[in-house]
Amino acid sequence: MRHESLVNEDWKNVVARLGGVETLKVTARETKAFLRPREITNAVDLLRVILAYCLGERGLRSTAAWATSVGLVDISSVALLYRLRQCGDWLALLVGQMLAAAAPQASRGRIIRIVDATTVPKNGADARKKNELWRIHSAFDLPQERFGHFELTDQQAGETLDRIPVVAGEIRLGDRAYLQPDRMASVIEAGGDFVIRAGWKSACWLDGKGNVLDLVAELRKAAARGLIDRPIWIKRKSGEPLALRLVAVKKPAHAAAEARRKARRAAQRGGHQISKQTLDAADWVILVTSLKPTEFATADVLALYRLRWRIELGFKRLKSLIGLKGPPGIDERSARPHVLAHLLTILLLEPLIDELEDSPRLVEAA
């Protein structure tokens, strides 16, 4: 199945999954995407032609010609562009409804929620010169293996651990970019836990007495054993230090050698001398977590973090299966609906993923 089939043979199923004809009519009117019939007589046809343009490889003129040839609507390319620019809020609402319909229920047990972001470039010579991007902040939920949240921003909005609302009882997984003590505290206060990768100098590490802790020295002490699981505290900009748990495991020899090679290359590119501490820390996978050792053993914490690669597969689906690239044009009014149309499509297709590709489940991934 190709994603363009969503606007052809699978169209009736798409309309049904989005709530039906009446729901689409109401939401289109509420968001002012469709206020009165002109060239396009109803909201369902409007959505179909918008998705056909955003998901296909046709330009505006070819999409308008296609819509006329199949008897859908008789519309000019200029009128289609105008309609597209009015659909941003409507598509955002439809994405939100799809996410809400599949929202994880904490009462069914703790979910694993992987947070990360991916980007697509903005179009236009000026945007490329300034490296301007669209950033898609996402949460990928396990064991459902579904995107559970999307937020679209420009490059000015950074990745933050608490940007995505916390589901009480969730375990949130994040990479080094999300080691943000105050935001980590917000996740705990909202009823969630986390497992986050850390760098040796990513935070101000403290011991139980509030003294600065030399993390690399701790790693060196544990070199023979190759494993650390101990309490640790992180200094915050405001409030008391955050009491957490440090879990670190020494990498296999080949992985450690590769990590050191990458660290040396990064230092060369940056034009600075690599430190002995960086090389020593490269031998380790360092994690901090709020999970209690009485509930999650060391091996459990390490196994949880290994599941983080699942969101990378989710992004791969979004960009290769759905074909999300930089939207055409330089006008935000048309670029935003273009990206949102692809997000809506991955949500529509996710229940069919098993028919489209091999997708190991949580038990296999662990």
Side-chain angles (χ1 to χ4, degrees):
M1 177 188 294
R2 294 170 55 213
H3 60 263
E4 283 191 62
S5 69
L6 289 178
V7 292
N8 292 302
E9 62 265 25
D10 297 313
W11 183 242
K12 289 183 179 179
N13 180 49
V14 169
V15 172
R17 292 190 57 208
L18 292 174
V21 174
E22 189 60 30
T23 297
L24 289 173
K25 175 182 176 181
V26 171
T27 54
R29 187 172 295 277
E30 286 177 350
T31 55
K32 299 183 179 180
F34 186 86
L35 295 177
R36 61 185 66 88
R38 290 178 180 169
E39 305 93 342
I40 302 178
T41 60
N42 59 76
V44 172
D45 288 349
L46 171 62
L47 181 61
R48 186 177 179 189
V49 74
I50 292 299
L51 289 181
Y53 167 67
C54 292
L55 303 179
E57 298 179 356
R58 312 177 183 94
L60 288 167
R61 290 183 180 178
S62 296
T63 302
W66 165 83
T68 301
S69 69
V70 299
L72 182 61
V73 296
D74 186 1
I75 190 171
S76 69
S77 58
V78 174
L80 176 56
L81 177 60
Y82 172 80
R83 291 285 194 169
L84 174 68
R85 289 174 174 175
Q86 308 306 310
C87 285
D89 290 343
W90 187 31
L91 290 170
L93 177 62
L94 295 178
V95 168
Q97 288 179 341
M98 288 291 294
L99 291 170
Q105 299 297 320
S107 61
R108 299 178 184 173
R110 304 190 73 169
I111 66 162
I112 300 166
R113 170 163 276 193
I114 312 166
V115 294
D116 206 348
T118 190
T119 60
V120 291
K122 289 187 176 182
N123 206 352
D126 190 54
R128 286 194 295 270
K129 185 184 298 183
K130 297 178 181 178
N131 293 319
E132 294 181 350
L133 303 165
W134 293 106
R135 180 169 281 122
I136 305 167
H137 307 269
S138 310
F140 194 75
D141 299 338
L142 299 175
Q144 295 91 342
E145 293 206 46
R146 301 285 183 266
F147 280 107
H149 186 92
F150 281 125
E151 183 176 342
L152 181 64
T153 69
D154 62 15
Q155 74 280 356
Q156 299 298 328
E159 300 175 48
T160 55
L161 185 67
D162 59 349
R163 174 181 293 278
I164 293 167
V166 174
V167 176
E170 74 168 74
I171 301 172
R172 186 164 291 200
L173 310 181
D175 63 14
R176 292 180 180 87
Y178 294 95
L179 190 70
Q180 304 158 346
D182 290 323
R183 298 183 184 279
M184 291 154 68
S186 297
V187 171
I188 295 173
E189 291 167 4
D193 282 298
F194 52 78
V195 179
I196 299 176
R197 188 145 186 190
W200 71 273
K201 54 182 179 180
S202 300
C204 180
W205 309 101
L206 306 174
D207 62 18
K209 297 180 180 179
N211 300 317
V212 174
L213 179 74
D214 186 340
L215 183 58
V216 175
E218 294 297 308
L219 297 176
R220 289 169 178 163
K221 288 179 193 175
R225 183 176 176 222
L227 186 68
I228 296 176
D229 190 340
R230 55 154 291 170
I232 199 167
W233 286 257
I234 296 180
K235 187 176 181 180
R236 297 169 57 189
K237 291 181 180 179
S238 59
E240 293 295 316
L242 191 61
L244 297 171
R245 176 183 170 196
L246 172 70
V247 175
V249 63
K250 201 166 185 181
K251 299 173 185 175
H254 67 280
E258 177 64 14
R260 286 175 172 240
R261 185 187 66 79
K262 289 182 178 179
R264 289 191 179 96
R265 179 181 292 180
Q268 289 174 351
R269 287 198 300 263
H272 61 268
Q273 186 72 29
I274 192 168
S275 68
K276 181 67 166 58
Q277 291 99 319
T278 297
L279 288 173
D280 287 346
D283 290 350
W284 293 79
V285 174
I286 306 168
L287 306 174
V288 290
T289 180
S290 57
L291 296 170
K292 307 302 181 192
T294 52
E295 299 175 6
F296 290 85
T298 308
D300 294 330
V301 174
L302 295 170
L304 281 171
Y305 187 76
R306 282 196 293 270
L307 296 174
R308 218 198 131 268
W309 70 276
R310 300 301 296 161
I311 196 169
E312 300 299 334
L313 180 57
F315 286 147
K316 181 180 178 181
R317 292 172 182 164
L318 184 60
K319 291 185 174 180
S320 59
L321 180 66
I322 309 302
L324 175 60
K325 300 176 182 177
I330 59 175
D331 193 318
E332 182 176 344
R333 294 173 297 172
S334 57
R336 181 169 174 261
H338 188 276
V339 175
L340 288 167
H342 286 77
L343 301 186
L344 179 62
T345 302
I346 190 65
L347 296 173
L348 288 165
L349 283 179
E350 276 182 327
L352 307 175
I353 287 297
D354 287 337
E355 300 175 17
L356 298 170
E357 62 176 335
D358 293 330
S359 179
R361 289 337 232 180
L362 177 62
V363 174
E364 297 169 342

